[in-house]
């Protein structure tokens, strides 16, 4: 078979052993393309165990700018003997296998339809280094140098990355540059270049390369958060850590050096959400960061926030469940547990960011919504967004923007005799006024309780009082529909009665899948939902199409269930497209699933209006 040939459009996958020190070398490989002006989409697939198990790092080089996984591998860098057969099987016909050829392997270990590139990495390291750990670490740098020579990656770009990584450590810089050139020189003297080539471009522009967790942490700072209570859990820990770092820079008094924030690593998830609710009751903007198991533990306090109407924000970085599940794999499997968290009748606002840019935007917005709606707001990230670096537009912020604290009755209003009922709906939007503790010495006080009460916060178990209160909470949820982020619609180039609904990190692969389907003559209108509750536009979209695919990354079609439950949609109209093996969804999977499940072709809407006899 003829070897693949491509310039700035291919997938390279590294198969390593966790704990081998390969992560920084593989990331440097990805960033070298960015420095050459070529977009990349990188995915780190790693085990929850600390050392010894397989890990993969997939780099999609894409001058066209596709940020989702494509599916398939064009070049496999096979550094893990334990996963050899599996890794070999992933290579596209005509693709390439790069491996350590120190130990000869029989022909049965290879494939006839790929090109094998062997570099004796272990032998080179043994000859150059005497310390075992150096042999392992520099082996990674050597193979990056070899790949650079094989693919025309500018070696000077990688040397600059090394200089930045080890800034101030000249000895390490020189040693790594020597290892890099060792790999490049070996290829130059012994091997031809392969058909996958890098070429300098100008397609990155001013975009930044950033993790969603970091972006969300920064968004929390811009959103006015001053309190974070959290308990470590993969994959959300780095969000709280990012917030901590940003607070050190931006929430510290420059004159006194005193912190103007409170960050508490609680004893467990239950304590962390309790602290957040307490801080929110006291008027602070507070949040916690967690994942599925934490959401399960936080249910009772979330119910208190809902019923006592106390602002709180929860960043849920979703992972594979249930139970411990797959802690380092991605899913979108907390949708229902978050939307209806706690016992009894509850409904919670969910924000569904698609990338780090929206993680920043929604991370800030969540605190305005929490104050305005006086409830818990869930920001639903996932591991793919949270822990992987994505290319995204620089974060934008309007310096004239002020914090929306919602309905807060002031001292002067109370002093003037304004009627205050903590749970009194004065204008029909379901949202009452609140007061901060200590607002007035004699007025505006109330007893905060999780039990039933009347509009003036006085205890009552009278049925009509309870019904009036929970119906008001529904009115508040209706109000939320008009202030949460609206869905984004993309109509196909030609009229169609087929639609697709999706959300979150699925968007990157979906964008490409739509292009693929259009090139094949399959036209599908698309709607990306960005929040729950769903506005009318979501159900109007469903009503306007005969068949609507709902694409999500969980087993039980949770978004589809939410649409059916909230909109009374005929289940037969919504076709579930589900991906839940823990790896990020690919464009090939989406396009293939939709193409294979489309109902038989129908006339376009215009032709359907023509009388049958006229045809």
């Amino acid at each position: 078979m003829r070897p693949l040939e491509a310039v700035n459009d291919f997938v390279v996958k590294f198969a390593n052993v966790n704990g081998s020190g390969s992560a920084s070398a593989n990331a440097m490989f990805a960033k070298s393309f960015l420095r050459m002006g070529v977009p990349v989409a990188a995915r780190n697939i790693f085990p929850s165990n600390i050392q010894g198990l397989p890990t993969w790092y997939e780099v999609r080089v894409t001058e066209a700018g596709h940020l989702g996984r494509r599916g398939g591998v064009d070049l496999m860098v096979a550094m893990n003997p334990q996963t050899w057969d599996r890794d070999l099987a992933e290579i596209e016909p005509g693709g390439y296998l790069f491996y350590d050829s120190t130990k000869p392997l029989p022909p049965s270990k290879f494939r006839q339809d790929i090109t094998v590139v062997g570099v004796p990495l272990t032998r080179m390291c043994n000859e150059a280094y005497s310390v075992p750990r150096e042999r392992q670490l520099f082996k990674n740098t050597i193979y990056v140098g070899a790949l650079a020579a094989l693919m025309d990656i500018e070696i000077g770009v990688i040397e600059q990355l090394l200089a930045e990584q080890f800034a101030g450590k000249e000895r390490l810089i020189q040693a790594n540059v020597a290892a890099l050139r060792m790999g490049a020189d070996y290829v130059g003297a012994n091997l031809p270049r392969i058909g996958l080539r890098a070429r300098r471009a100008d397609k990155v522009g001013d975009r930044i390369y950033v993790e969603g967790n970091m972006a969300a942490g920064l968004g929390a700072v811009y959103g006015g958060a001053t309190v974070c209570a959290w308990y470590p859990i993969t994959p959300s820990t780095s969000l709280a850590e990012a917030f901590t770092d940003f607070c050190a820079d931006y929430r510290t008094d420059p004159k006194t050096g005193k912190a103007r924030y409170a960050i508490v690593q609680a004893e467990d998830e239950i304590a962390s959400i309790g602290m957040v609710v307490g801080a929110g009751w006291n008027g602070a903007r507070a949040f916690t960061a967690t994942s599925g198991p934490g959401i399960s533990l936080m249910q009772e306090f979330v119910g208190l926030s809902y019923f006592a109407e106390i602002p709180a924000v929860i960043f849920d970085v979703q992972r594979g469940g249930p139970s411990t599940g797959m802690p380092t794999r991605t899913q979108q499997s907390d949708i229902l547990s978050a939307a209806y968290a706690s016992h009894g009748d509850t409904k919670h606002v969910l924000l569904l960011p698609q990338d780090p840019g929206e993680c920043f935007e929604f991370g800030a917005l969540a605190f305005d919504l929490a104050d305005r709606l006086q409830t818990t707001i869930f920001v639903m990230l996932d591991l793919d967004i949270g822990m992987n670096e994505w290319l995204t537009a620089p974060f934008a912020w309007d310096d004239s923007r002020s914090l929306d604290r919602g309905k807060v009755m002031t001292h002067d209003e109370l002093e003037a005799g304004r009627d205050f009922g903590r749970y009194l709906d004065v204008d029909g939007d379901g949202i009452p006024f609140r007061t901060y503790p200590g607002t007035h010495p004699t007025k505006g006080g109330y007893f905060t309780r999780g039990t039933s009460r009347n509009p003036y916060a006085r205890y009552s178990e009278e049925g009509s009082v309870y019904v009036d209160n929970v119906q008001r909470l529904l009115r508040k949820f209706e109000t939320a529909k008009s202030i949460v982020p609206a869905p984004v619609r993309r109509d196909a180039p030609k009229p169609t009665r087929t639609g697709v609904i999706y959300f979150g990190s699925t968007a990157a692969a979906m964008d490409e899948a739509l292009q693929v389907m259009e090139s094949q003559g399959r036209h599908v209108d698309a709607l990306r939902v960005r929040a729950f509750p769903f506005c009318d536009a979501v159900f109007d979209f469903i009503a306007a199409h005969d068949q609507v695919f709902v694409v999500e990354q969980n087993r039980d079609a949770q978004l589809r269930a939410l649409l059916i439950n909230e909109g009374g949609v005929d289940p037969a109209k919504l076709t579930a497209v589900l991906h839940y093996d823990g790896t990020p969804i690919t464009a090939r999977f989406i396009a293939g699933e939709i193409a294979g499940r489309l109902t038989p072709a129908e006339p376009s809407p215009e032709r359907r209006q023509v009388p049958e006899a006229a045809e």
Side-chain angles (χ1 to χ4, degrees):
M1 174 167 291
R2 183 176 180 180
L4 291 174
E5 293 185 2
V7 177
N8 292 349
D9 183 17
F10 45 81
V11 175
V12 180
K13 191 169 185 178
F14 296 82
N16 299 99
V17 176
N18 202 36
S20 63
S22 59
S24 60
N26 297 344
M28 183 170 59
F29 173 86
K31 291 176 181 178
S32 67
F33 287 92
L34 293 174
R35 292 294 178 89
M36 292 177 64
V38 184
V40 297
R43 299 292 190 277
N44 190 16
I45 303 169
F46 58 100
S48 56
N49 293 57
I50 295 174
Q51 192 163 348
L53 291 181
T55 182
W56 293 270
Y57 188 76
E58 184 176 294
V59 181
R60 182 174 186 186
V61 179
T62 166
E63 189 169 331
H66 299 302
L67 298 182
R69 292 182 68 219
R70 184 198 70 187
V73 176
D74 301 314
L75 168 60
M76 178 66 72
V77 182
M79 295 290 113
N80 188 354
Q82 280 70 41
T83 61
W84 178 276
D85 293 338
R86 172 181 173 181
D87 298 330
L88 190 71
E90 284 193 60
I91 304 172
E92 297 279 279
Y96 300 85
L97 171 70
F98 178 99
Y99 81 111
D100 181 354
S101 60
T102 300
K103 181 180 178 181
L105 296 175
S108 60
K109 298 296 291 182
F110 302 102
R111 282 170 42 187
Q112 298 300 313
D113 61 344
I114 62 173
T115 299
V116 177
V117 180
V119 176
L121 299 169
T122 300
R123 189 189 74 199
M124 294 167 66
C125 288
N126 289 344
E127 292 173 352
Y129 309 104
S130 58
V131 179
R133 186 57 177 166
E134 286 186 347
R135 289 174 175 173
Q136 177 58 63
L137 294 176
F138 286 121
K139 179 179 179 179
N140 302 318
T141 308
I142 292 172
Y143 72 59
V144 171
L147 292 170
L150 287 167
M151 305 174 72
D152 282 345
I153 302 171
E154 297 175 15
I155 200 78
V157 166
I158 305 177
E159 290 178 351
Q160 179 60 36
L161 288 168
L162 286 169
E164 294 170 10
Q165 180 178 343
F166 299 109
K169 302 176 181 177
E170 190 61 32
R171 186 182 66 82
L172 284 177
I173 295 173
Q174 293 178 359
N176 276 276
V177 168
L180 183 76
R181 291 195 171 275
M182 190 186 308
D185 291 344
Y186 179 89
V187 169
N190 298 279
L191 297 170
R193 287 173 171 77
I194 62 175
L196 308 179
R197 312 292 278 273
R199 181 177 63 198
R200 183 169 284 276
D202 188 17
K203 300 296 184 180
V204 174
D206 64 350
R207 285 182 289 178
I208 58 176
Y209 194 54
V210 63
E211 293 180 354
N213 280 353
M214 190 282 284
L218 183 61
V221 172
Y222 274 75
T226 57
V227 176
C228 170
W230 64 292
Y231 183 77
I233 181 172
T234 302
S236 72
T237 296
S238 60
L239 195 159
E241 291 173 341
F243 179 75
T244 301
D245 291 340
F246 287 127
C247 280
D249 292 335
Y250 304 118
R251 289 262 189 273
T252 302
D253 190 302
K255 295 181 180 179
T256 65
K258 291 184 177 180
R260 297 182 296 187
Y261 57 91
I263 299 173
V264 181
Q265 183 176 319
E267 61 266 34
D268 55 33
E269 288 90 348
I270 299 173
S272 67
I273 187 60
M275 294 175 188
V276 168
V277 172
W281 173 85
N282 202 44
R285 290 193 157 187
F287 76 93
T288 189
T290 190
S291 191
I295 297 298
S296 297
L297 290 168
M298 294 176 183
Q299 298 279 310
E300 188 169 1
F301 267 119
V302 172
L304 175 64
S305 166
Y306 176 79
F307 202 54
E309 298 179 73
I310 300 171
V313 172
I314 298 177
F315 289 95
D316 179 8
V317 191
Q318 299 168 89
R319 71 188 206 185
S323 187
T324 304
M326 296 189 294
T328 58
R329 298 290 191 265
T330 194
Q331 280 187 3
Q332 297 171 322
S333 55
D334 297 346
I335 301 303
L336 289 177
S337 62
Y340 300 128
S342 197
H343 55 278
D345 294 321
T346 59
K347 292 185 180 183
H348 305 289
V349 173
L350 313 183
L351 302 183
L352 309 170
Q354 70 165 342
D355 60 15
E358 285 192 343
C359 289
F360 171 77
E361 177 187 348
F362 293 179
L365 175 64
F367 294 92
D368 278 353
L369 292 175
D371 272 352
R372 187 167 173 183
L373 294 168
Q374 300 173 26
T375 193
T376 294
I377 306 296
F378 288 87
V379 186
M380 307 297 290
L381 292 77
D382 58 40
L383 184 146
D384 186 22
I385 299 176
M387 293 192 70
N388 285 315
E389 293 177 302
W390 292 54
L391 268 181
T392 188
F395 303 150
W397 186 259
D398 182 357
D399 287 333
S400 66
R401 174 175 168 180
S402 59
L403 304 183
D404 184 351
R405 300 310 301 255
K407 293 181 178 180
V408 180
M409 199 166 289
T410 65
H411 173 279
D412 291 345
E413 289 172 323
L414 292 167
E415 186 70 19
R418 184 169 179 179
D419 184 28
F420 174 70
R422 175 62 185 94
Y423 303 107
L424 183 66
D425 185 3
V426 297
D427 52 15
D429 66 358
I431 306 172
F433 276 84
R434 61 177 174 142
T435 57
Y436 297 138
T439 295
H440 193 282
T442 60
K443 301 177 181 180
Y446 62 94
F447 190 89
T448 303
R449 62 174 83 245
T451 50
S452 182
R453 70 277 157 155
N454 70 12
Y456 289 89
R458 299 186 184 98
Y459 175 75
S460 172
E461 290 189 15
E462 186 177 340
S464 61
V465 171
Y466 172 81
V467 170
D468 180 69
N469 190 48
V470 295
Q471 286 300 118
R472 179 183 58 77
L473 291 172
L474 275 183
R475 290 198 300 276
K476 181 167 72 170
F477 200 68
E478 286 294 313
T479 298
K481 292 180 180 180
S482 64
I483 62 176
V484 297
V488 176
R489 176 167 177 163
R490 170 182 170 176
D491 287 335
K494 295 183 179 180
T496 178
R497 301 290 296 183
T498 303
V500 62
I501 294 176
Y502 59 102
F503 71 100
S505 64
T506 302
M510 176 60 72
D511 289 344
E512 183 180 3
L514 291 170
Q515 295 178 31
V516 170
M517 289 188 288
E518 287 169 8
S519 70
Q520 297 169 345
R522 298 185 178 94
H523 297 287
V524 180
D525 293 334
L527 188 76
R528 177 169 68 89
V529 294
R530 300 198 297 163
F532 174 73
F534 307 123
C535 64
D536 291 342
V538 174
F539 300 109
D540 291 343
F541 179 87
I542 295 172
H545 296 86
D546 296 332
Q547 183 180 22
V548 178
F549 295 93
V550 183
V551 181
E552 47 190 314
Q553 299 183 64
N554 58 68
R555 184 195 69 180
D556 292 342
Q558 295 186 25
L559 177 63
R560 178 178 178 272
L562 205 55
L563 290 165
I564 293 169
N565 191 51
E566 295 295 320
V569 180
D570 179 2
K573 200 169 188 179
L574 301 180
T575 303
V577 175
L578 307 175
H579 181 277
Y580 49 90
D581 68 359
T583 62
I585 197 168
T586 68
R588 287 184 180 179
F589 175 85
I590 295 172
E593 286 291 305
I594 291 178
R597 300 165 73 177
L598 281 169
T599 55
E602 297 180 353
S604 69
E606 292 83 359
R607 293 189 64 201
R608 286 162 61 112
Q609 298 170 9
V610 178
E612 185 174 347
E615 292 187 61

